[in-house]
Amino acid sequence: MATDIKDSVHAVEAAAVMGLLPARPRLLALGEPTHGEDTLLDVRNELFRQFVEQEGYRTIAIESDCLRGLVVDDYVTSGTGTLDEVMEHGFSHGFGASAANRELVRWMRAYNDGRPASEQLRFAGFDGPLEITHAASPRQALTALHGYLSTWVDADLLPCTGDTLDRLLGADDRWTNPAAMMDPAQSVGQSAEAGQLRLLADDLVALLDTRIPHLITATSRDDVDRARLYGRTATGLLRYHHWMADTSPARMTRLCALRDLMMAHHLLALAARRPALAHAQNSHLQRAKSTMQMWQGPVEWWSAGALVSDRLGEGYAFVATALGTIRHQGVDTPPPDTVEGVLYTLPEDRCVIDAPRLASTLGDTVPAPRVSPWFGYAPLAPAHLADIDGLLFVRDVPQS
C-alpha cells in the first residue's frame, strides 16, 4: 500500500499541481484546514508566486473582507499608503497581523513596481464584510455605489438621493450590534427602513447594469468593476441582515449559505476578468457539502467552491490542504487509519498528492474520519478525496 501511495506523491510545485489538472483553470483555489498558521501561509505564498511567474495568474484573492481588500489592491498596484497602514486596515478576521500575509503584500507590491497596469498583479478579498460576531452596515457599499452613479448618470435616473440613503441607514451601530447574532429580535434587518434599502439597492444595481457601455467609456473597466463590487456587497449584506432577523430553525443554515453565496459571486467576477488564485478555509472551497457544528446544532450548506465549480466546470480547480500535527494546539500524530495518518508515514515533510488517485489506491479501505481535539482545526473528510483535484500535505505545523 505504501508503495502504491508513493505513486500519487509529487513535489510542492505549481508545475506538479498543473500536471494533475486537465487544463489551466480560470480559478485555482487552495484551501487550508485551520486559520492563523504562518507555516501554511508560507507554503501558499511560494506556490502562488510560482503560479504567477510560471502560469500567468494575475489575481490573488483571500478569505477577507472584500471592501477592506480594496485598500490592499490600491497599495500593490499604485503604492497608495504604507505597508503598515495596509496591514492594519486592509484585512478582516485578524489576518493583517500575519507575517506571511505581510510578506505576500510586500512581494505583490515589489512584483508590480515598474510593470504596466495590464501585467500587474491584483489583490482581492472575497469574503463579505462579515465577522462571526456581526455583519457590517451596508453604508459603505451603498453610498459608494450611489456616489459613483450620481457622478456619471443623470440625476433623474437615480432612484433616491444620498440624503434618503443616509436617513434610512441611520446609525451604523444599529447594524453591527453583536447581540443580533444570537438574538434575531436585536437585528434591524427586517425593519421597514431595511426593506426600503433592499429595494433601492436593487434599483441602483439595475441602473448600473443598464449604463455599463457608457460608464466603461466615461470612467474605466476597473471603476465599473469596483462599482459592481459595491453593488454585490450592498445587496448581499442587506439580504444577510434580513435573515439575521429570522426566527426559524433554518436561520443559521441560511446565513452560512448566504455568506458563501457572496463569496461565490465575488470569485466569479474575479475569474471573469483574469486568471485568479484563491485561498480560504477548505470548507469554503470544496465541492462537497459543507458542515459545521453550531450552538443550535449541525448546519449544512453548499460552499462557494461548490457554487463556482457548477458554473465554471473544468475552469475551477480545488487543492485542499491536510496536515499531520499542530502540537501547540494539542493536535498530535494522526491515527494510522485516517487519511492524515496514511500520509504521515510518507518521508516527505511537504508534498502534493493526486487526490483521486489516492482515493483509487485506498479502494474499499475507507479511512476513518480524524477527530480534532481543537475546534480551530477541521480534518479532511475521507469521503471528499475523489472530489478534490489535488491535496497539499504538510507533515508538521510548528508554532509561528
Side-chain angles (χ1 to χ4, degrees):
M1 173 68 78
T3 304
D4 292 340
I5 288 175
K6 285 177 183 173
D7 295 337
S8 306
V9 177
H10 305 273
V12 181
E13 296 171 350
V17 175
M18 298 306 281
L20 303 178
L21 308 174
R24 185 183 79 159
R26 289 293 297 179
L27 181 65
L28 197 160
L30 174 65
E32 63 177 359
T34 183
H35 285 320
E37 296 296 341
D38 274 357
T39 297
L40 299 181
L41 300 183
D42 288 337
V43 178
R44 173 204 66 186
N45 288 355
E46 175 56 24
L47 263 181
F48 279 10
R49 184 184 66 77
Q50 292 181 27
F51 280 120
V52 167
E53 294 176 349
Q54 299 168 21
E55 304 295 340
Y57 284 87
R58 287 295 176 266
T59 296
I60 292 177
I62 74 166
E63 182 193 338
S64 182
D65 181 335
C66 58
L67 298 182
R68 290 194 184 202
L70 298 173
V71 174
V72 187
D73 188 53
D74 286 342
Y75 175 77
V76 300
T77 54
S78 59
T80 304
T82 67
L83 183 55
D84 284 344
E85 290 166 349
V86 167
M87 299 314 296
E88 182 179 353
H89 301 295
F91 293 85
S92 58
H93 314 326
F95 294 160
S98 158
N101 281 336
R102 185 184 182 89
E103 174 55 24
L104 175 68
V105 175
R106 187 209 62 76
W107 173 75
M108 291 180 72
R109 176 68 200 127
Y111 181 92
N112 284 341
D113 196 25
R115 291 180 192 266
S118 60
E119 295 176 21
Q120 286 193 346
L121 277 179
R122 303 299 296 268
F123 180 92
F126 68 90
D127 200 354
L130 308 171
E131 297 284 357
I132 293 295
T133 53
H134 66 278
S137 163
R139 176 182 299 280
Q140 181 184 353
L142 261 182
T143 55
L145 175 59
H146 185 276
Y148 173 74
L149 288 170
S150 63
T151 303
W152 298 104
V153 173
D154 293 341
D156 56 359
L157 290 174
L158 293 168
C160 67
T161 65
D163 287 344
T164 298
L165 284 183
D166 194 54
R167 175 177 57 80
L168 292 171
L169 284 161
D172 285 347
D173 57 11
R174 297 168 64 233
W175 299 91
T176 57
N177 177 12
M181 184 51 77
M182 302 293 283
D183 180 7
Q186 300 287 321
S187 171
V188 297
Q190 292 187 18
S191 64
E193 294 87 352
Q196 287 179 265
L197 286 168
R198 284 187 83 183
L199 292 171
L200 290 171
D202 185 66
D203 282 339
L204 287 167
V205 170
L207 177 59
L208 174 67
D209 287 343
T210 62
R211 308 295 290 183
I212 291 296
H214 161 66
L215 292 168
I216 285 177
T217 305
T219 62
S220 70
R221 169 67 71 178
D222 274 353
D223 288 340
V224 168
D225 282 348
R226 191 165 283 206
R228 282 176 155 159
L229 169 65
Y230 291 137
R232 289 192 304 273
T233 306
T235 54
L237 269 177
L238 286 162
R239 189 183 299 123
Y240 191 90
H241 277 289
H242 177 88
W243 290 107
M244 277 185 77
D246 180 38
T247 56
S248 80
R251 177 178 184 262
M252 288 312 302
T253 296
R254 203 183 307 262
L255 291 179
C256 289
L258 287 175
R259 180 187 178 195
D260 271 77
L261 179 63
M262 291 174 72
M263 289 185 174
H265 287 161
H266 292 319
L267 288 171
L268 287 166
L270 294 169
R273 281 300 306 276
R274 51 183 71 82
L277 302 164
H279 184 259
Q281 223 277 352
N282 285 329
S283 63
H284 290 304
L285 300 173
Q286 65 194 31
R287 292 184 178 92
K289 205 171 220 184
S290 297
T291 59
M292 185 168 28
Q293 188 68 32
M294 302 197 78
W295 58 85
Q296 86 300 338
V299 176
E300 292 188 346
W301 73 98
W302 293 107
S303 75
L307 301 176
V308 170
S309 181
D310 176 66
R311 288 281 293 276
L312 297 184
E314 287 187 352
Y316 179 71
F318 171 47
V319 177
T321 298
L323 55 82
T325 71
I326 324 175
R327 297 193 195 278
H328 55 281
Q329 298 290 5
V331 180
D332 291 320
T333 305
D337 60 345
T338 63
V339 172
E340 291 89 350
V342 170
L343 298 177
Y344 203 75
T345 64
L346 295 170
E348 292 84 1
D349 286 333
R350 298 169 183 178
C351 55
V352 167
I353 309 288
D354 183 334
R357 185 169 183 174
L358 175 60
S360 174
T361 301
L362 293 171
D364 296 331
T365 314
V366 180
R370 186 181 189 183
V371 177
S372 172
W374 175 50
F375 74 93
Y377 159 61
L380 188 75
H384 292 178
L385 266 183
D387 290 322
I388 295 170
D389 298 299
L391 184 61
L392 170 63
F393 182 68
V394 177
R395 184 179 171 86
D396 299 295
V397 178
Q399 191 155 9
S400 298

